Amino acid sequence: MRAYGFSAAGGPEKETFLDVLVPVPGPGELLVRVRAAGVNPGDWRLREGSYGVAGPAVLGREVAGTITALGPGVEGFSVGDEVFGGCPGMVGGWAEQALVTASFAAHRPDEVSPEEAAVLPVAAGTAHDALEDLGLDAGATLLVNGAGGGVGIPVVQLARARGINVVGVASPAKHGLVAGFGAVPVAYGDGVLDRVRAAAPGGVDAVFDLVGGEALRTVAGLVADRTKLRSVADKLLARELGGGEVERDRSTAVLTELARLVATKALDPHVTQVRPLDEAGEALAQVENGHAVGKIVLVP
């Protein structure tokens, strides 16, 4: 079957279309005919070698599709079911058929399109788990550093749905987007601490960082209780500053809840581009260059 991935770890020049065998589902796995697949920063990081995969390998961490086969020991799913979920090892989704981890898969409601469902496991799943990890009560104030990105947009929505006030640090071009989902936007750069304090005069109860580096170090000082600091962009620095990373709960229960929120219009996955698999290289380049607004989906 036709798939898109990379021949060896390295830059974009290593990306290529691959002719690979249809995978056979192992224990606890589903095989699905892919209807939509998400594009994430983790895809280019995998290609460049950050996760130790030398290649060749098929890219793609999350998909929605129709089950065509079940691996041994799988319960709760049947051939023909419409599902979505994460791919084993976070690889293999940009193909005509792909494996999905059954324990990190859920049935797709009719009210949720394949394109919407395909982008829930990674970005919205991370957002959900971050909020569970932080354990904020309604009325608390959360600072989201990088609120205009793929994880920032769902965390703003999910936090607001819980009654949490959100201040979102984002580039000015994304302020309208961030405000539209219920956060108070502020700009990066010199004076960011003053701008956040003006937006949240009662103080900040937690920080969720999606940027890392000096941007994280700067805003970390806004939260007195450093155990309420989480980063997915700079885990080492977050730990150095007294916080930590997000503990992921890659489960059917989380995906089912996210799909319910989309079905009831409480969560907008914000899919802004649906592109054919032929344009996988261009789609990944947009994400890698930071030029993507919202989520990009590939359709075989």
Side-chain angles (χ1 to χ4, degrees), residues 84-189:
F84 66 102
C87 302
M90 297 291 119
V91 298
W94 295 0
E96 295 167 359
Q97 296 194 65
L99 296 176
V100 173
T101 302
S103 61
F104 190 35
H107 292 93
R108 177 177 63 81
D110 291 340
E111 300 88 350
V112 180
S113 72
E115 293 80 10
E116 292 172 319
V119 302
L120 294 177
V122 175
T126 300
H128 172 278
D129 294 346
L131 290 173
E132 288 292 304
D133 220 5
L134 290 169
L136 298 175
D137 294 326
T141 297
L142 171 67
L143 177 68
V144 179
N145 200 32
V151 179
I153 291 301
V155 83
V156 167
Q157 295 179 72
L158 294 174
R160 294 297 296 130
R162 297 177 180 216
I164 298 167
N165 302 310
V166 181
V167 177
V169 183
S171 61
K174 294 182 178 179
H175 281 192
L177 177 67
V178 171
F181 285 120
V184 178
V186 299
Y188 292 111

